[in-house]
């Protein structure tokens, strides 16, 4: 396994870089979309709420592999030519947005209504209330499930090899078929996934420790 | 939900009252919580609202602040109709922004404080100064410290709510409301969630406010406070105002049987 790592590290690292670029872009874009969807899911207006609910159901309720293929084949049908890597980022974004929206929705529902009423009575607009009162607390509350989701997306990004994006998984397959050492190769790949996720988990734990000040829900 | 009816036919409110309500009523589902309430509040007046639990005191205060939309009647703040407007003879809800503007003169203090836990005491006070009034951080901090000073908490400015006592939290909540320079303050049982030994420090702050001429509506079970500080006491039961008048009259010569009962129960509880 070490031998594989040593002999093939340039391509492996390139694959890993692609994995990271795709996953982290999707997570960041998905966060923005996820927050907006969560606002939609907690809206007073049914007309805003139910399309957001529908969106969430679709992207949480279908396999990610299917979503990848759908986006990849659907876009050219409607005249949009996009590179496989963009299709991959798009799909993972749309997917993680659904999961993140549910995480944020649950977080928002844990903020006591009285805090929001206090903001309203101070004249703070509902948009500012979301930005300054609700979301800072929600990000702290939801850090553990959010970390899980990030790790899930990193792992799920291995599926994008089906639309010919040469990320870590695909690179490993190529090395395995060239060297006839599939076991060693896949173990090396596993090690790389684990290393990245370990760093993420540590980062999250560190953040969580730093943010404990001022988080009583009272 | 009953439809909000047309604008109250009554003439525009007499000026001079800061808050004025005509015939407001409110239902939660089938439960009628407020029935045909009239209310007015003159500048510098201190009104205490008393009554058994579930009689609609909180709902009244929340309707006067439009935290709950009332179903019928009208609430005027400084002569402006709160929450609704007349459009082609039909009554419709106003925008959130308009609600904010009309109730800007109202500050509110809640039973459970509702401080923002991720903000320090000072930040709780300065948040709206910066977001709503557009003050710079420095201006807001100066103003905020003055408010904390007023409630005797300048030494707690950097503390998060979790490390404050209940009485301190409530005083920060009062400072937060005062920072927006309200012309009238609503208090919903401000001392009911406090340990008995912490009640006094909050009531003291409120007494000082009253002495400085602040207009206040206070829902409370503190009869002693009501007797000493209120200009007028309103007794509510089952969603109606049963009796109202100066505290001396109300407490010494209750007219209705329900108020007599209420006061007797209170005395029994507070003697042992
Ligand atoms: N949001 C609500 N939904 C349904 N019922 C409510 C709601 N708020 C209050 N009520 C009911 O309205 C009645 C009056 O409540 P409230 O105004 O809180 O009384 P008080 O403050 O005098 O104790 C009670 O029966 C209460 O259960
Ligand atoms: Mg109440």
């Amino acid at each position: 396994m070490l031998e594989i790592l040593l002999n093939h590290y340039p391509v492996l690292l390139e694959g890993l870089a692609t994995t990271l670029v795709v996953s982290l872009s999707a997570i960041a874009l998905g966060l923005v979309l996820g927050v907006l969807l969560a606002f939609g899911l907690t809206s007073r207006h049914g007309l805003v709420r139910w399309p957001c609910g529908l969106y969430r159901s679709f992207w949480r309720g279908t396999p990610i592999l299917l979503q990848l293929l759908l986006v990849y084949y659907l876009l050219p049908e409607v005249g949009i030519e996009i590179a496989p890597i963009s299709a991959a980022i798009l799909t993972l974004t749309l997917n993680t947005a659904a999961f993140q929206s549910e995480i944020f929705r649950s977080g928002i529902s844990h903020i006591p209504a009285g805090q929001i009423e206090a903001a309203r009575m101070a004249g703070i607009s509902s948009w500012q209330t979301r930005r300054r009162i609700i979301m800072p607390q929600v990000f702290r509350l939801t850090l553990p499930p959010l970390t899980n989701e990030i790790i899930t997306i990193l792992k799920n990004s291995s599926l994008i090899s089906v639309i010919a994006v040469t990320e870590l998984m695909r690179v490993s397959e190529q090395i395995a078929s060239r060297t006839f050492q599939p076991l060693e190769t896949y173990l090396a790949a596993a090690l790389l996934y684990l290393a990245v996720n370990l760093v993420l988990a540590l980062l999250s734990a560190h953040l969580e420790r730093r943010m404990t000040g001022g988080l009583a829900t009272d | 939900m009953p439809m909000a009816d047309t604008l109250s036919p009554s003439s525009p409110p007499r000026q001079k009252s800061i808050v004025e309500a005509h015939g407001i009523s409110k239902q939660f589902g089938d439960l009628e919580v407020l029935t045909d309430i009239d209310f007015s509040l003159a500048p510098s007046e201190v009104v205490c609202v008393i009554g058994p639990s579930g009689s609609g005191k909180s709902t009244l205060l929340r309707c006067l602040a439009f935290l709950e939309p009332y179903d019928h009647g009208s609430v005027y703040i400084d002569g402006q109709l709160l929450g609704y407007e007349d459009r082609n003879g039909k009554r419709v809800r106003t925008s959130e922004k308009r609600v904010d503007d009309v109730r800007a003169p109202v500050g509110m203090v809640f039973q459970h404080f509702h401080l923002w836990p991720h903000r320090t005491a000072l930040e709780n006070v300065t948040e709206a100064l910066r977001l709503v009034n557009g003050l710079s951080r420095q201006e807001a901090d100066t103003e905020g410290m003055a408010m904390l000073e007023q409630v005797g908490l300048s030494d707690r400015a950097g503390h998060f709510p979790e490390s404050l006592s209940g009485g301190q939290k409530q005083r920060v909540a009062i400072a937060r409301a005062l920072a927006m320079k309200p012309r009238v303050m609503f208090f919903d049982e401000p001392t009911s969630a406090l340990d008995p030994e912490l009640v006094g420090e909050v009531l003291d702050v409120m007494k000082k406010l009253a002495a400085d001429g602040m207009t206040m509506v206070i829902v409370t079970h503190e009869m002693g406070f009501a007797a000493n500080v209120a200009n007028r006491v309103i007794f509510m039961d089952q969603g109606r105002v049963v009796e109202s008048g100066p505290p001396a009259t109300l407490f010494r010569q209750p007219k209705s049987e329900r108020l007599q009962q209420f006061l007797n129960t209170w005395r029994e509880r507070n003697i042992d």
Side-chain angles (χ1 to χ4, degrees):
Chain A
M1 185 184 77
L2 262 180
E3 188 198 319
I4 295 280
L5 275 176
L6 287 175
N7 291 341
H8 300 276
Y9 74 89
V11 265
L12 278 170
L13 287 185
E14 233 171 83
L16 181 64
T18 306
T19 290
L20 286 175
V21 165
V22 170
S23 312
L24 297 181
S25 316
I27 283 154
L29 294 170
L31 185 115
V32 176
L33 188 56
V35 167
L36 291 175
L37 278 168
F39 292 159
L41 289 169
T42 52
S43 165
R44 279 190 291 135
H45 306 287
L47 270 178
V48 177
R49 223 170 33 240
W50 79 254
C52 296
L54 205 66
Y55 177 95
R56 178 188 55 183
S57 299
F58 176 80
W59 290 93
R60 290 202 308 166
T62 50
I64 197 162
L65 193 57
L66 188 83
Q67 297 169 359
L68 270 167
L69 294 169
L70 276 177
V71 169
Y72 188 59
Y73 289 113
L74 193 73
L75 288 181
E77 285 293 312
V78 295
I80 303 171
E81 294 296 335
I82 95 177
I85 189 166
S86 310
I89 292 175
L90 179 63
T91 311
L92 291 184
T93 297
L94 297 176
N95 176 281
T96 188
F99 284 90
Q100 292 192 42
S101 75
E102 180 51 28
I103 292 171
F104 293 136
R105 186 207 56 77
S106 155
I108 291 170
S109 73
H110 279 91
I111 306 298
Q115 280 186 35
I116 294 157
E117 290 180 345
R120 311 288 302 127
M121 287 308 295
I124 300 174
S125 74
S126 54
W127 193 249
Q128 286 171 327
T129 303
R130 288 191 181 108
R131 200 165 59 79
R132 302 273 305 176
I133 309 292
I134 300 175
M135 287 321 284
Q137 296 183 66
V138 167
F139 286 126
R140 292 175 191 201
L141 279 171
T142 57
L143 193 60
L146 212 52
T147 307
N148 275 340
E149 174 58 17
I150 294 174
I151 290 174
T152 301
I153 282 297
L154 253 157
K155 291 188 292 182
N156 280 341
S157 73
S158 63
L159 295 168
I160 67 178
S161 57
V162 300
I163 56 170
V165 179
T166 33
E167 42 63 76
L168 182 53
M169 191 63 211
R170 192 171 168 91
V171 167
S172 313
E173 283 166 0
Q174 289 165 347
I175 297 173
S177 64
R178 245 183 298 135
T179 59
F180 302 108
Q181 290 180 292
L183 188 59
E184 289 80 353
T185 310
Y186 292 133
L187 274 174
L191 204 66
L192 290 175
Y193 277 112
L194 270 176
V196 171
N197 284 334
L198 184 68
V199 170
L200 279 173
L202 288 174
L203 206 67
S204 157
H206 173 72
L207 270 177
E208 205 177 349
R209 264 197 313 277
R210 269 196 34 192
M211 298 195 312
T212 45
L215 193 79
T217 36
D218 192 19
Chain B
M1 282 286 268
M3 264 305 294
D5 56 11
T6 49
L7 292 178
S8 161
S10 59
S11 51
R14 297 167 282 123
Q15 258 320 326
K16 290 216 181 76
S17 359
I18 297 186
V19 178
E20 188 148 336
H22 301 285
I24 55 173
S25 57
K26 172 74 186 173
Q27 268 179 263
F28 287 114
D30 287 339
L31 182 68
E32 177 132 348
V33 177
L34 295 178
T35 310
D36 197 23
I37 302 234
D38 292 318
F39 179 83
S40 88
L41 188 68
S44 292
E45 201 180 9
V46 176
V47 170
C48 283
V49 182
I50 61 171
S53 160
S55 56
K57 306 181 297 294
S58 296
T59 306
L60 173 62
L61 216 52
R62 293 169 59 78
C63 283
L64 292 178
F66 213 69
L67 285 176
E68 283 304 342
Y70 47 94
D71 298 330
H72 300 278
S74 355
V75 173
Y76 294 90
I77 308 286
D78 263 341
Q80 296 193 288
L81 183 63
L82 177 64
Y84 297 103
E85 64 191 355
D86 192 13
R87 208 179 285 158
N88 306 326
K90 260 185 73 181
R91 178 184 220 182
V92 291
R93 288 273 288 269
T94 57
S95 67
E96 213 168 59
K97 174 81 178 62
R98 171 74 184 158
V99 172
D100 284 349
D101 289 345
V102 174
R103 81 175 157 204
V106 183
M108 183 122 170
V109 172
F110 303 85
Q111 179 176 357
H112 295 287
F113 332 125
H114 298 317
L115 293 181
W116 304 310
H118 60 305
R119 297 270 187 262
T120 63
L122 180 61
E123 287 166 346
N124 265 274
V125 179
T126 57
E127 189 74 22
L129 288 172
R130 300 186 60 197
L131 290 179
V132 182
N133 294 357
L135 297 195
S136 71
R137 162 160 248 142
Q138 208 180 3
E139 293 166 328
D141 283 355
T142 310
E143 184 73 27
M145 284 308 292
M147 292 300 139
L148 285 177
E149 184 95 40
Q150 201 176 336
V151 299
L153 283 176
S154 31
D155 58 331
R156 291 288 184 275
H159 288 236
F160 283 100
E162 63 186 351
S163 67
L164 299 176
S165 72
Q168 290 170 337
K169 283 184 205 173
Q170 195 59 298
R171 286 187 284 151
V172 172
I174 293 173
R176 173 174 68 178
L178 288 176
M180 298 309 284
K181 300 272 176 286
R183 297 190 50 214
V184 50
M185 290 274 283
F186 291 172
F187 294 83
D188 190 1
E189 300 201 30
T191 59
S192 296
L194 301 179
D195 291 336
E197 72 272 19
L198 302 177
V199 169
E201 63 190 62
V202 172
L203 293 183
D204 285 345
V205 168
M206 293 167 63
K207 277 179 202 156
K208 211 170 67 185
L209 277 178
D212 291 346
M214 176 61 80
T215 313
M216 305 200 272
V217 183
I218 305 159
V219 174
T220 186
H221 292 291
E222 296 292 331
M223 299 301 164
F225 175 84
N228 288 325
V229 182
N231 305 112
R232 185 153 55 97
V233 174
I234 291 178
F235 171 64
M236 283 183 70
D237 192 26
Q238 295 182 1
R240 293 173 188 273
V241 173
V242 177
E243 234 178 296
S244 82
T249 321
L250 215 78
F251 289 141
R252 293 208 198 107
Q253 298 135 20
K255 286 198 275 299
S256 64
E257 200 174 314
R258 279 187 281 177
L259 178 54
Q260 284 164 21
Q261 254 173 21
F262 177 76
L263 292 174
N264 284 338
T265 315
W266 184 82
R267 280 189 196 107
E268 279 164 24
R269 275 207 205 121
N270 286 269
I271 275 164
D272 48 50

